[in-house]
């Protein structure tokens, strides 16, 4: 599994003065940040799966839109296919299936099957996707995601939970939202901005998690920028601020409680 291996380094840069964290505190913070990154990567994967099908075009009859969208999936992704089924008088179901060998989508590898429900149409469309039959990068994707559009606002959400990849005995849950940025596609584009609260649970209790503006570029495991804050079960506060530097180079500024921040270089 991909990891923030550079966070295993000793303190590289700290602000001048006293209050620097100990190496033990740095190591504990590194482990927590690695778990946050692994969990948020799963949430990002759920939202990328939602973007395999195009966003509904307001004003178009639901069935006509879905027929075209299902046909175009195979053109866009040779390793995926979609089938449309009537669900009820106002809802159609789309079953999205990836080939047995898996399918690479925006730098992630999907396998399995997902079910999408499209409810409404033209003036208001609600889309819900059950992704619990999918794996992302070999890990089960326990997620339900969706969006609403054509009304007063566009809303996107992701309820994702499961085991933290590569961390036996650790689980997570994130109630994620996709942030809106001018000029940035909502879903299915090359960038994604994730916000939302969550939890990380392990042998030592449950940590509260807050993700703010985690900006992912296509094909990258680590966020380009944004903030993740953990309020730990043992009363500590760990904040990781991701910032771009040059192209695929970046840095994570990690702060434990009110101690001096530790700045670590990363390669996304």
């Amino acid at each position: 599994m991909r990891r923030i291996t550079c966070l295993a380094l000793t303190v590289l840069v700290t602000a001048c003065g006293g209050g620097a964290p100990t190496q033990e505190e740095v190591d504990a913070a590194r482990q927590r940040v690695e778990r946050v990154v692994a969990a948020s990567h799963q949430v990002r994967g759920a939202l990328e799966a939602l973007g395999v099908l195009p966003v509904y075009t307001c004003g178009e009859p639901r069935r006509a839109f879905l027929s075209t969208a299902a046909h175009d999936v195979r053109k866009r992704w040779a390793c995926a296919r979609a089938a449309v089924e009537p669900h009820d008088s106002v809802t159609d179901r789309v079953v999205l299936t990836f080939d047995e060998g898996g399918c690479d989508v925006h730098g992630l590898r999907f396998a399995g099957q997902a079910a999408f429900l499209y409810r409404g149409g033209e003036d208001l469309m609600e889309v819900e996707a059950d992704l619990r039959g999918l794996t992302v990068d070999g890990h089960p994707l326990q997620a339900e995601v969706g969006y609403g559009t054509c009304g007063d606002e566009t809303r996107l959400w992701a309820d994702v939970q499961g085991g933290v990849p590569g961390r036996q005995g650790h689980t997570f849950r994130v109630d994620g939202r996709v942030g809106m940025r001018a000029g940035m596609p909502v879903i299915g584009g090359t960038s994604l901005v994730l916000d939302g609260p969550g939890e990380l649970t392990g042998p030592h209790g449950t940590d509260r998690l807050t993700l703010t503006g985690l900006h992912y570029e296509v094909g990258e495991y680590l966020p380009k920028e944004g903030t993740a804050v953990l309020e730990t079960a043992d009363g500590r506060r760990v904040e990781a601020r991701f910032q771009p530097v040059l192209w695929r180079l970046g840095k994570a500024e990690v702060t434990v409680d009110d101690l001096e921040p530790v700045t670590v270089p990363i390669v996304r």
Side-chain angles (χ1 to χ4, degrees):
M1 173 188 152
R2 291 168 288 190
R3 300 179 59 185
I4 317 176
T5 52
C6 53
L7 284 180
L9 300 177
T10 56
V11 175
L12 297 181
V13 181
T14 60
C16 297
T22 66
Q23 186 62 46
E24 182 179 1
E25 289 170 322
V26 171
D27 290 342
R30 170 187 58 81
Q31 293 172 9
R32 286 189 163 106
V33 172
E34 285 184 344
R35 291 196 289 270
V36 169
V37 169
S40 61
H41 180 67
Q42 292 292 92
V43 182
R44 178 263 181 107
L47 290 164
E48 293 286 5
L50 182 62
V52 172
L53 290 166
V55 177
Y56 173 73
T57 302
C58 301
E60 187 174 354
R62 182 183 68 252
R63 181 60 61 81
F65 167 80
L66 291 177
S67 295
T68 301
H71 182 264
D72 288 347
V73 163
R74 200 66 169 180
K75 292 181 180 179
R76 295 178 61 204
W77 314 104
C79 49
R81 61 186 182 276
V84 182
E85 306 169 349
H87 186 73
D88 58 35
S89 60
V90 296
T91 310
D92 287 313
R93 183 172 184 260
V94 178
V95 178
L96 178 66
T97 305
F98 295 101
D99 289 351
E100 185 176 350
C103 184
D104 290 325
V105 177
H106 289 168
L108 304 171
R109 190 159 189 82
F110 291 102
Q113 191 176 82
F116 295 72
L117 290 180
Y118 286 76
R119 182 176 297 109
E122 301 194 31
D123 296 327
L124 178 64
M125 176 65 75
E126 297 287 341
V127 180
E128 300 176 6
D130 185 343
L131 308 180
R132 288 173 292 184
L134 287 183
T135 63
V136 58
D137 288 345
H139 299 285
L141 191 60
Q142 300 298 312
E144 294 179 280
V145 298
Y147 67 87
T149 190
C150 305
D152 295 334
E153 62 178 355
T154 298
R155 308 177 313 281
L156 293 100
W157 54 270
D159 184 354
V160 187
Q161 60 184 312
V164 179
R167 303 293 186 277
Q168 188 173 2
H170 292 268
T171 62
F172 75 95
R173 179 166 187 169
V174 173
D175 178 12
R177 300 177 297 276
V178 177
M180 303 298 176
R181 290 194 176 186
M184 183 175 292
V186 175
I187 55 176
T190 60
S191 297
L192 183 151
V193 182
L194 177 64
D195 299 270
E199 295 179 342
L200 290 176
T201 301
H204 301 295
T206 298
D207 301 338
R208 291 194 300 168
L209 172 64
T210 303
L211 306 177
T212 304
L214 286 189
H215 180 181
Y216 287 91
E217 296 288 347
V218 63
E220 295 183 355
Y221 178 68
L222 294 171
K224 180 178 181 181
E225 57 184 329
T227 303
V229 175
L230 267 180
E231 296 171 278
T232 72
D234 59 358
R236 309 302 295 267
R237 184 182 188 276
V238 179
E239 177 178 314
R241 298 184 62 192
F242 297 90
Q243 302 172 53
V245 178
L246 292 171
W247 190 47
R248 294 181 65 87
L249 298 179
K251 63 181 181 179
E253 188 177 85
V254 181
T255 304
V256 180
D257 297 331
D258 57 355
L259 301 175
E260 302 287 2
V262 177
T263 301
V264 182
I266 60 177
V267 179
R268 296 190 305 275

